[in-house]
């Protein structure tokens, strides 16, 4: 039996989100993954001398077996719900600019370079490799407006084994002359070409899916939004992503372009782009009406705390606790390069900081603060639900696919995390990784049971 067709098992500490309020930390757990990459069994409290017997009973006696030591654990892979793949090279540039100035002075110029397919072939393997190294097993990517480069991004994701949504960015106005779709018709046709390419790569959408990607209404006139809405009707399973209520500057400009609307919720819904498949980045200055509308439509929110605190001309603290309390779908996004970091660990930390600011600005009673349990949930299963993969990945329920990372905070990784102590509880080990760890602590990364990073 070839190595790729064998089942595999891990024995040690296994951690995943049981709910928004609870992180399940399973000690002496036996986790078995079948040859198709799905979770076949998960048992906690298995005595070490019983492991061989249990594997035999599970028809996994010949599996690849990994025993975890102290300071190591298995957890679900991170889900980045909002990432700009063509911004990889200019991450961190233009800090302090208002969002529209940042786009015009930094982002559009750099994204325009992807007109050259060779540039895409050089950069996109860096993107996917870096994301996998950081434990991101699923990403929702904005491509550039170029069809060929977007196809290359999809090719690279599938080749390197990352689960991904990939979308050609639609933008037919209000951008530099050198970085705008030639026409609405071209924008829609290139979108259809990318849809067909991605469907040919992965017909069932098991790892790779196209996502409709109107950058935001500022860059799309009524005819383009309407055309994308028609495509959304044709493909009732296809996700949709855009920026939503990102900053006061962005929102004010949007309303001047669409004076028939008083809010962005009605705008996008009118064009058929707001529904349970929508992935809405930021949502920082929501009106009560918009919040209720997104809740009613079961939209997903991609919370990007790092970029909200570093680009846009203000500390944009989204009301994430309110969204979570309402039962809305919320995941975390890095928004790289508006966000300077691709680290989902940073996104988790910054979601806590962001919520402390929101609580101070509003109630000052602690009711708006995000907990570590909630941050962990958003980074894994919460994000999986936002991008439409929640039934397949995000936790370790039996039957789900094994998208996971093997975390190691021991000194052997040469990391700068808070050192492992003999007295550390398993909860402490997890907290040390989340609050002080980095990619050096991510020893292995798996997508659908396939090792895609580490050895």
């Amino acid at each position: 039996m070839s190595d790729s067709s064998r089942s595999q098992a891990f024995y040690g500490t296994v951690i995943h989100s049981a709910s928004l309020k609870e992180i399940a930390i399973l000690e002496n757990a036996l986790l078995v993954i079948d040859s198709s990459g799905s979770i076949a069994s998960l048992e906690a409290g298995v005595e070490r001398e019983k492991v061989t017997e249990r594997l035999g009973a599970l028809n996994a006696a010949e599996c690849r077996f990994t025993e975890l030591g102290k300071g190591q654990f298995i957890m679900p892979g991170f889900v980045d719900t909002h990432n700009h793949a063509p911004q990889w090279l200019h991450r961190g540039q233009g800090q302090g600019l208002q969002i529209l100035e940042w786009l015009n002075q930094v982002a559009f110029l750099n994204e325009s370079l992807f007109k050259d397919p060779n540039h895409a072939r050089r950069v996109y393997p860096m993107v996917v490799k870096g994301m996998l190294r950081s434990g991101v097993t699923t990403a929702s990517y904005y491509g550039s407006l170029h069809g060929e480069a977007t196809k290359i991004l999809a090719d690279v994701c599938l080749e390197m084994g990352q689960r991904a949504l990939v979308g050609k960015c639609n933008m037919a106005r209000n951008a530099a002359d050198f970085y705008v779709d030639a026409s609405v018709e071209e924008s829609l046709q290139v979108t259809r070409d990318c849809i067909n390419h991605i469907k040919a790569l992965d017909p069932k959408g098991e790892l790779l899916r196209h996502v409709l990607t109107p950058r935001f209404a500022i860059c799309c006139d009524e005819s383009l939004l309407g055309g994308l809405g028609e495509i959304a009707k044709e493909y009732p399973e296809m996700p949709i992503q855009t920026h939503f209520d990102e900053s006061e500057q962005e929102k004010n400009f949007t309303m001047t372009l669409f004076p028939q609307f008083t809010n962005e919720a009605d705008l996008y819904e009118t064009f058929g782009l707001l529904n349970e498949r929508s992935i809405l980045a930021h949502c920082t200055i929501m009106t009560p009406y918009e919040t209720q509308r997104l809740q009613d439509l079961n939209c997903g929110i991609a919370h990007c705390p790092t970029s909200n605190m570093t680009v846009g001309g203000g500390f944009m603290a989204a009301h994430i606790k309110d969204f979570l309390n309402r039962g809305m779908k919320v995941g975390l996004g890095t928004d790289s390069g508006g966000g300077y970091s691709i680290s989902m660990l940073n996104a988790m930390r910054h979601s806590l900081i962001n919520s402390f600011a929101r609580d101070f600005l509003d109630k000052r009673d602690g009711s708006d603060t995000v907990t570590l349990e909630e941050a962990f949930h958003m980074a894994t299963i919460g994000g999986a639900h936002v991008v439409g993969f929640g039934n397949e990945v995000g936790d370790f329920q039996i039957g789900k696919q094994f998208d996971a990372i093997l975390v190691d905070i021991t000194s052997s990784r040469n990391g700068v995390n808070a050192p492992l102590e003999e007295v550390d509880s398993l909860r402490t080990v997890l907290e040390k990784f989340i609050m002080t760890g980095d990619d050096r602590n991510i020893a292995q990364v798996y997508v659908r049971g396939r090792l895609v990073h580490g050895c």
Side-chain angles (χ1 to χ4, degrees):
M1 183 162 37
S2 68
D3 191 58
S4 61
S5 65
R6 292 172 62 190
S7 60
Q8 54 188 318
F10 296 86
Y11 177 72
T13 301
V14 174
I15 300 175
H16 67 151
S17 178
S19 70
L20 267 175
K21 304 299 182 184
E22 180 187 359
I23 298 174
I25 301 178
L26 309 179
E27 189 172 6
N28 297 328
L30 182 61
L31 175 62
V32 179
I33 299 94
D34 66 25
S35 59
S36 71
S38 296
I39 297 167
S41 176
L42 175 59
E43 302 176 69
V46 179
E47 297 178 8
R48 180 61 185 87
E49 57 270 22
K50 299 286 187 179
V51 168
T52 300
E53 177 185 331
R54 289 301 304 138
L55 289 175
L58 294 166
N59 296 317
E62 301 300 320
C63 71
R64 284 171 285 151
F65 179 74
T66 301
E67 184 168 358
L68 308 176
K70 184 175 178 59
Q72 297 179 324
F73 60 88
I74 291 285
M75 63 167 282
F78 293 124
V79 179
D80 188 341
T81 61
H82 183 69
N83 184 282
H84 289 269
Q87 294 180 7
W88 180 263
L89 295 180
H90 68 267
R91 286 172 291 153
Q93 296 180 33
Q95 296 297 304
L97 293 172
Q98 290 275 345
I99 184 64
L100 298 184
E101 285 70 37
W102 179 82
L103 288 170
N104 285 302
Q105 295 178 34
V106 180
F108 290 163
L109 176 62
N110 283 275
E111 290 187 30
S112 72
L113 301 177
F114 286 81
K115 180 179 181 180
D116 180 0
N118 289 324
H119 184 70
R121 293 188 185 98
R122 180 176 71 88
V123 175
Y124 283 151
M126 299 182 199
V127 176
V128 178
K129 181 179 180 180
M131 295 284 276
L132 289 173
R133 175 178 175 173
S134 298
V136 177
T137 52
T138 300
S140 188
Y141 287 123
Y142 283 59
S144 65
L145 63 77
H146 312 102
E148 189 61 30
T150 302
K151 294 175 186 177
I152 290 168
L153 174 58
D155 294 344
V156 171
C157 289
L158 194 61
E159 178 183 352
M160 300 184 72
Q162 187 180 45
R163 193 181 300 274
L165 307 184
V166 176
K168 171 255 188 294
C169 205
N170 299 102
M171 39 192 302
R173 65 172 179 173
N174 289 321
D177 292 341
F178 56 80
Y179 192 56
V180 67
D181 291 317
S183 67
V184 168
E185 293 73 22
E186 184 209 47
S187 185
L188 295 172
Q189 184 55 54
V190 174
T191 297
R192 291 185 181 278
D193 290 343
C194 289
I195 292 171
N196 292 335
H197 180 80
I198 290 173
K199 283 189 170 294
L201 290 176
D202 189 353
K204 296 181 179 180
E206 294 174 323
L207 285 178
L208 188 65
R209 299 174 185 175
H210 182 272
V211 53
L212 287 175
T213 308
R215 189 175 199 121
F216 53 4
I218 288 172
C219 286
C220 302
D221 61 16
E222 292 184 25
S223 59
L224 181 51
L225 291 175
L228 292 170
E230 288 301 313
I231 295 176
K233 290 180 184 177
E234 292 177 37
Y235 298 95
E237 301 300 321
M238 186 175 293
I240 306 160
Q241 62 182 358
T242 194
H243 299 79
F244 193 94
D245 284 1
E246 181 172 2
S247 72
E248 185 175 6
Q249 183 193 45
E250 171 268 324
K251 189 166 188 175
N252 288 342
F253 188 25
T254 300
M255 293 300 99
T256 65
L257 295 171
F258 296 89
Q260 67 272 41
F261 297 104
T262 59
N263 62 83
E264 292 193 8
D266 289 344
L267 191 166
Y268 286 107
E269 185 179 4
T270 295
F271 291 104
L273 298 171
L274 212 60
N275 53 46
E276 72 282 355
R277 296 172 280 141
S278 300
I279 305 166
L280 305 177
H282 304 298
C283 301
T284 63
I285 49 172
M286 304 274 284
T287 65
Y289 171 81
E290 288 175 307
T291 300
Q292 187 61 55
R293 200 76 203 105
L294 266 56
Q295 181 181 357
D296 292 343
L297 294 168
N298 196 26
C299 299
I301 294 171
H303 178 38
C304 305
T306 303
S307 64
N308 291 345
M309 296 189 293
T310 54
V311 169
F315 194 102
M316 299 178 291
H319 289 83
I320 295 303
K321 191 74 170 189
D322 179 45
F323 303 154
L324 294 174
N325 288 341
R326 289 169 174 264
M328 298 170 72
K329 296 181 297 187
V330 186
L332 295 180
T334 60
D335 193 20
S336 174
Y340 61 85
S341 171
I342 64 162
S343 171
M344 287 292 290
L345 291 170
N346 274 344
M348 293 173 71
R349 298 161 191 161
H350 292 158
S351 73
L352 302 176
I353 296 170
N354 190 286
S355 74
F356 300 153
R358 185 74 273 160
D359 186 74
F360 178 79
L361 292 170
D362 288 348
K363 302 174 182 177
R364 304 187 184 188
D365 63 0
S367 61
D368 271 342
T369 57
V370 169
T371 66
L372 193 71
E373 285 78 7
E374 290 166 335
F376 188 84
H377 186 275
M378 289 189 289
T380 55
I381 184 61
H385 282 300
V386 168
V387 301
F389 275 108
N391 292 329
E392 291 88 358
V393 299
D395 56 26
F396 295 137
Q397 292 184 37
I398 307 302
K400 284 194 173 184
Q401 295 166 28
F402 185 65
D403 285 16
I405 58 180
L406 194 164
V407 175
D408 185 343
I409 71 163
T410 65
S411 59
S412 65
R413 301 298 298 177
N414 295 315
V416 294
N417 56 278
L420 179 68
E421 296 280 77
E422 189 61 34
V423 297
D424 285 345
S425 66
L426 297 179
R427 170 71 183 215
T428 298
V429 170
L430 174 64
E431 290 183 1
K432 285 185 173 182
F433 169 61
I434 292 174
M435 300 308 299
T436 70
D438 58 29
D439 60 284
R440 285 168 290 191
N441 301 114
I442 298 175
Q444 294 179 342
V445 180
Y446 293 85
V447 176
R448 207 179 187 184
R450 172 189 171 190
L451 182 68
V452 293
H453 169 72
C455 58

